[in-house]
Every structure is written in C-alpha cells, then in structure tokens.
Amino acid sequence: MNKRSQITLLKGQVIDRKPVGKEENMSRIGKKPIEIPSGVEVKIENNVVTVKGPKGTESVAYRDEVKVSVVENNIIVEPNSDDRKTGALHGLFRTLIANAVFGVSKGFEKKLEIVGVGYRANMEGSNLNMALGYSHPVLIVPPAGITISVEANTKITVAGTNKQSVGDVAAFIRSKRPPE
C-alpha cells in the first residue's frame, strides 16, 4: 500500500481508500438506465440519439467517450474508458438523453409571476406583451418549440420539450424586469 492510497488518522490507525479514477468512482447517475415510456420512439445513428414522442422530437449528440444502446425498453449509457473525464461525460450524456425522453413525453414548464403595481402581461397571438413600468410595452417573440401562456394577467407559463430552451426563455423574460 503506497502513501497516496492510504489515510492515517490521529490515533495512528491506517484506513485504505480507493484510488481516484477507478471503476468504483464511476458516475452513479450514469449507471441508471433510462426507461422509455410508451408512445416514445428512440433511434441511435452516428452518435446522435433521436427521441420522438407525443409532444415532439428531440435530438442529443453524444461523444465517442460514451456508448449508448437500447436494451429491451431501456436506454443504457456506458463509458468507453475509466478515466475521470469519461466519468463526467457519462453522467452528462445520460442526463441529457433522459431530459429528451421526459421532454417529448411529458414536457417541461416554468411558471413566472409578475409582482408590481401596474405590471401585467397578455398574449398578442403567440407573442407575449408585458407592461413593466417602462414608457413602452415589452414584446417577446418565443422561439420555435416554446409556447408561452398567461393566466390572470400576472402568471406566465413557459412550456416546451427542451429543458434548456424553456429555462433560457424564462430567464430572458425575467431579465426584462429583474426582482428587486
């Protein structure tokens, strides 16, 4: 046992610890299989996972450090080597693929609330029009794949199949008048 793979306690006891970068330290999130819900199709071609479901289609490109396969009704993501970088990518791509599966089956949404005297929002077609205390109205055109709805003039809901896009649009709306 070398000095790098042991820890000495104050009382002189020596405890073994596992060296960093071994299989035992592999991503715990990456080990979980992704269950494919009914009504969702998964295709894997040229390092791209394409997920098609009732709410739309999402694609996730993955790197050569991981291997993705469909076994029975699950998507399995496995690392190709045991180094630290591959372990991080293993968990990342498993999560991105799981988000795509969830997005096309159930979808993502963020709810925002406008608080302020005279602040209000309404829809003009598919565009969001907000009065935020400026001398002009603030008009937001949602990107493709994102739907915005307004309830009771103060509650805004941003919905879509891509988790990152939903969060980006919600953050953009919030940036127009950040909370004080």
Side-chain angles (χ1 to χ4, degrees), residues 135-154:
S135 61
H136 59 281
V138 177
L139 185 68
I140 296 179
V141 179
I146 300 293
T147 57
I148 300 174
S149 61
V150 176
E151 302 168 18
N153 288 336
T154 59

Side-chain angles (χ1 to χ4, degrees), residues 1-2 4 7 11-13 19 21 23 26 32 36 42 55 61 65-66 74 83 103 106 118 131 136 138 160 162:
M1 174 168 39
N2 64 20
R4 293 193 74 185
I7 299 174
K11 295 180 181 178
Q13 299 170 338
E23 191 173 27
M26 187 173 78
K32 296 179 184 176
I36 302 171
V42 177
K55 295 217 177 238
E65 286 92 340
V66 296
N74 293 317
D83 65 337
K106 297 180 183 167
H136 59 281
V138 177
N162 188 313

Side-chain angles (χ1 to χ4, degrees), residues 2-168:
N2 64 20
K3 289 184 181 182
R4 293 193 74 185
S5 66
Q6 69 184 9
I7 299 174
T8 304
L9 299 177
L10 294 175
K11 295 180 181 178
Q13 299 170 338
V14 176
I15 299 174
D16 276 343
R17 73 173 181 158
K18 294 182 173 101
V20 177
K22 295 294 179 185
E23 191 173 27
E24 290 83 8
N25 292 329
M26 187 173 78
S27 170
R28 287 179 287 183
I29 291 189
K31 289 180 183 179
K32 296 179 184 176
I34 304 164
E35 187 176 330
I36 302 171
S38 61
V40 176
E41 293 178 27
V42 177
K43 283 187 198 174
I44 302 170
E45 293 177 346
N46 301 328
N47 285 5
V48 176
V49 177
T50 304
V51 185
K52 187 176 182 181
K55 295 217 177 238
T57 303
E58 287 291 321
S59 295
V60 177
Y62 62 92
R63 294 180 40 176
D64 292 330
E65 286 92 340
V66 296
K67 182 177 84 173
V68 180
S69 58
V70 177
V71 178
E72 294 175 11
N73 204 25
N74 293 317
I75 302 172
I76 307 293
V77 181
E78 297 172 318
N80 284 337
S81 67
D82 290 335
D83 65 337
R84 191 175 176 101
K85 181 181 175 186
T86 303
L89 292 173
H90 178 219
L92 169 73
F93 288 116
R94 188 261 177 216
T95 302
L96 291 176
I97 295 168
N99 285 343
V101 170
F102 186 86
V104 299
S105 60
K106 297 180 183 167
F108 293 100
E109 72 175 28
K110 291 259 187 190
K111 294 185 182 272
L112 304 170
E113 185 175 3
I114 301 174
V115 178
V117 177
Y119 292 4
R120 63 186 182 282
N122 60 11
M123 296 300 295
E124 290 182 356
S126 64
N127 302 333
L128 176 65
N129 187 11
M130 297 186 294
L132 299 174
Y134 297 122
S135 61
H136 59 281
V138 177
L139 185 68
I140 296 179
V141 179
I146 300 293
T147 57
I148 300 174
S149 61
V150 176
E151 302 168 18
N153 288 336
T154 59
K155 296 181 188 334
I156 301 169
T157 304
V158 181
T161 58
N162 188 313
K163 187 175 188 178
Q164 182 177 353
S165 297
V166 170
D168 287 347

